[in-house]
Amino acid sequence: MSHSPQVSIEEHPVADSTAGPYALTTGPDGALWFTLVHSGRIGRFVPGEKPTSHRLDPDCGPTVITPGPDGALWFTQYRAGRIGRITTDGVIDEFGVPTPGCGPFGIAAGPDGALWFTETAADRIGRITTTGHITEFPLPITGAFPSAITAGDDGGMWFTLNQANAIGRIDMDGGVTLHPLPTEAAAPVGIATGRDGALWFAEIAAGQIGRLTRDGHITEFPLPDHTARPHAVTVDGDGTAWFTEWAGNRVGTLTPDGTVTVHDLPTPHSEPHGIVRGPDGALWAALEIGALARIALTDSAT
């Protein structure tokens, strides 16, 4: 008989309730690194140890953080219009994006040894080398609000267009292809590449998780709660997509066969945002109330 997987969820406080843990990633040092969007800090956490943080401009709005190809962590500063770099021992460099008020948000390492990022307010995709050289590529659409970005397994970068209701792909020369979504005003945000090369993405306004194959076929999976506002998505080693429900106060899974399971978080109104596979093999989510949640399977479906 099949049954839903059971999970254990443990919350680990890492900041006060106003600091705003937003996104997180596993660093090359085996620690979890996370952004504190409201307090202008980058945090570091190893389970069982005391969390630490590194000060930035208090109003810079650090949002998404990702490992770079140079052994450092790279992050966007949404309000300051900068890209940041922090080494595992806390040395910080910052690089201003040429277009003012561009609102950098998503960032991911590309197959070319550079970092690629979205410019939400400028309809551009940016590229920054590990030495800080920035190139910007305009999108063939206005008011699109490019949001999250991920490296595909096809040599391109894939990104969500939150206000254009589409998924985009940019190649290393700046060529852009757009894939419109079937559901109107779905407002995609998070995106991740699956084991099979398909892209999984969260439709925050439609309450759905989408899947886009490399040949352009899109499937949408409605969540049990259409008002849950799914935000971020990642894929585990079994090919299962994990996602956060910002308004639903849950984390969920979507298996390759389309089975959806959701799990309540322990603390009400914890505002889950980023989710990532941690160094310990568990899933970790950033809770804006000031904690990181560890989500581990305790019983696999049979």
Side-chain angles (χ1 to χ4, degrees), residues 161-166 181-189 201-208 220 229-230:
L161 294 172
N162 178 261
Q163 294 300 302
N165 209 51
L181 299 182
T183 300
E184 293 184 10
V189 183
F201 53 93
E203 298 181 356
I204 193 169
Q208 299 182 142
E220 293 171 312
R229 299 188 70 79

Side-chain angles (χ1 to χ4, degrees), residues 81-93:
R82 293 190 294 256
I83 304 299
R85 176 185 185 271
I86 184 168
T87 65
T88 53
D89 55 1
V91 178
I92 296 169
D93 289 299

Side-chain angles (χ1 to χ4, degrees), residues 14 34 36 39 41-44 50-55 86:
V14 293
F34 55 95
L36 294 168
S39 63
R41 288 177 174 270
I42 299 296
R44 180 182 182 274
K50 184 178 179 180
T52 58
S53 67
H54 303 272
R55 183 184 299 275
I86 184 168

Side-chain angles (χ1 to χ4, degrees), residues 76-177:
T76 51
Q77 297 183 19
Y78 182 79
R79 289 195 289 270
R82 293 190 294 256
I83 304 299
R85 176 185 185 271
I86 184 168
T87 65
T88 53
D89 55 1
V91 178
I92 296 169
D93 289 299
E94 297 173 315
F95 307 92
V97 181
T99 300
C102 64
F105 180 80
I107 188 168
D112 58 347
L115 288 299
W116 292 72
F117 59 93
T118 58
E119 300 181 27
T120 57
D123 292 313
R124 295 169 183 260
I125 301 296
R127 176 186 183 271
I128 182 169
T129 67
T130 54
T131 58
H133 178 73
I134 293 176
T135 308
E136 297 173 286
F137 300 95
L139 297 174
I141 190 170
T142 58
F145 208 84
S147 300
I149 190 168
T150 189
D153 70 353
D154 59 351
M157 303 298 291
W158 293 77
F159 52 92
T160 52
L161 294 172
N162 178 261
Q163 294 300 302
N165 209 51
I167 305 299
R169 179 189 183 276
I170 187 168
D171 60 33
M172 297 299 98
D173 297 323
V176 175
T177 306

Side-chain angles (χ1 to χ4, degrees), residues 25-33 44 66-68 70-73 86-88:
T25 194
T26 297
D29 56 350
L32 288 161
W33 290 77
R44 180 182 182 274
T66 193
D70 56 349
L73 288 301
I86 184 168
T87 65
T88 53

